[in-house]
Amino acid sequence: MSALDELRRLRHDGAQVRKRDNKAAFWFLAPWFAGLLLVTIGPVLASFGLGFTKYNLIQPPRFIGLDNFARIFTDERLHNALRVTFTYVLVSVPLQLACALGVALLLDRGLRGLAVYRSAFYLPSLLGSSVAIAVLWTQVFGTDGLVNRVLAFFGVEGRGWISDPDTALSTLIVLNVWTFGSPMIIFLAGLRQIPAVYYEAAAIDGASWRSRFWHITLPLLSPILFFNLVLQIIHAFQSFTQAFVVSGGTGGPSDSTMFYTLYLYQQGFGRFDMGYASALAWFLLLIIAAFTAINFWAAKYWVFYDD
């Protein structure tokens, strides 16, 4: 056999091996592709189609054009849900990120038992969206709850924080701020990536702690801050469990905790108006996409990359 024939044989064998490996990889990935198609892409496309119909889960969907989307602009209860949700997002996310960054800076000072502190602060973010924590929150801020008992110890008369429309949303904001562990871990990882030589040079020049924070830490941490901001805004817009449990699924008192997702749930599974619920889901997607796009547009003015 000539050298050329041997080369052709090796190439043919190599092609056969690659073909066999690709086939095996396809079969291993097939369940994931099936799940993506049947559980994610399929329902998403179906909900888009249902947004143009009147559908109550019993009778077949009836095409009604853009009526569901037009109804969004005249639904006063939905407008209240949007106001509550925007308030929740715009207040809780900055407070949560500020707490996360503050604790990360403290933990970055080389404390003993750092792993213990890190786990202790991260634990609430794992449990924050659970039903158990939401139930606990109703006990903490209830009329006979822990908060009122502490206030009574100092001679201050408490109130039913969750049953009062003026304070019910604030309790949910506090709950979201309390779950700052996840962004805190990311901030801590980002702080560890900042070269110490910058701080050493600033210390030689006599820069104060505040000056080092504003001119070194914050600019170099801005990509991490941007990442956390986008992630937490999306997460806050999708908040549901806390409001559902605290209000008993009603969004009360007086719709003060009526989140957008809770109103969507009521339309879909309370009134069985699946067509309108689907339109609401796509409208929420547009809102989140708009906020994300604004964040990416504004990032060029305050996010710095250490190139």
Side-chain angles (χ1 to χ4, degrees):
M1 179 181 294
S2 65
L4 183 59
D5 291 338
E6 180 65 16
L7 180 61
R8 287 174 178 170
R9 188 186 66 78
L10 291 175
R11 285 180 176 176
H12 178 267
D13 292 345
Q16 291 298 318
V17 170
R18 285 195 297 274
K19 187 176 180 181
R20 188 168 59 248
D21 289 346
N22 291 338
K23 191 174 181 180
F26 172 78
W27 283 112
F28 275 112
L29 290 173
W32 184 85
F33 281 117
L36 177 67
L37 183 63
L38 297 176
V39 181
T40 303
I41 295 178
V44 167
L45 295 178
S47 73
F48 182 72
L50 289 175
F52 298 93
T53 66
K54 187 173 183 60
Y55 180 46
N56 60 6
L57 289 177
I58 299 175
Q59 298 172 328
R62 181 168 59 84
F63 183 75
I64 58 173
L66 295 173
D67 287 1
N68 285 327
F69 294 94
R71 183 178 162 188
I72 289 174
F73 298 97
T74 58
D75 189 343
E76 293 185 359
R77 201 173 180 211
L78 172 64
H79 298 166
N80 176 70
L82 282 170
R83 182 185 61 78
V84 171
T85 305
F86 282 142
T87 303
Y88 176 78
V89 172
L90 296 177
V91 175
S92 70
V93 171
L95 289 176
Q96 185 192 50
L97 293 182
C99 288
L101 180 57
V103 174
L105 288 170
L106 289 175
L107 295 181
D108 191 48
R109 298 172 69 88
L111 297 175
R112 283 188 174 182
L114 176 61
V116 176
Y117 289 114
R118 194 165 47 197
S119 302
F121 285 116
Y122 183 63
L123 188 61
S125 66
L126 293 177
L127 305 174
S129 60
S130 68
V131 175
I133 293 300
V135 172
L136 174 65
W137 223 243
T138 62
Q139 302 299 319
V140 171
F141 285 97
T143 305
D144 298 324
L146 178 64
V147 173
N148 281 346
R149 291 182 183 180
V150 172
L151 291 176
F153 179 79
F154 292 101
V156 179
E157 185 179 357
R159 59 168 73 181
W161 301 94
I162 290 177
S163 58
D164 189 336
D166 294 331
T167 56
L169 180 60
S170 301
T171 63
L172 296 181
I173 290 174
V174 172
L175 174 57
N176 191 50
V177 173
W178 181 58
T179 59
F180 62 81
S182 181
M184 182 269 294
I185 292 292
I186 299 174
F187 276 135
L188 192 57
L191 289 171
R192 296 296 173 86
Q193 299 302 316
I194 298 177
V197 64
Y198 292 159
Y199 295 108
E200 293 169 359
I204 292 173
D205 291 340
S208 63
W209 181 90
R210 181 180 299 178
S211 181
R212 292 198 296 269
F213 173 76
W214 283 107
H215 298 292
I216 298 176
T217 304
L218 208 53
L220 293 180
L221 204 61
S222 58
I224 305 297
L225 182 59
F226 172 66
F227 174 78
N228 273 331
L229 179 66
V230 172
L231 214 61
Q232 295 307 316
I233 285 178
I234 294 174
H235 182 262
F237 268 115
Q238 296 175 331
S239 294
F240 170 79
T241 307
Q242 303 93 324
F244 182 86
V245 174
V246 167
S247 68
T250 64
S254 303
D255 282 351
S256 59
T257 59
M258 179 63 78
F259 285 179
Y260 189 100
T261 51
L262 181 56
Y263 185 70
L264 189 158
Y265 174 85
Q266 288 185 352
Q267 295 299 316
F269 297 96
R271 303 182 62 181
F272 296 106
D273 193 351
M274 288 295 174
Y276 187 45
S278 298
L280 289 176
W282 279 90
F283 190 65
L284 177 61
L285 174 66
L286 291 178
I287 293 173
I288 294 175
F291 266 77
T292 305
I294 292 172
N295 277 325
F296 272 90
W297 171 79
K300 60 185 177 183
Y301 296 107
W302 63 275
V303 177
F304 304 96
Y305 293 95
D306 186 20
D307 295 328

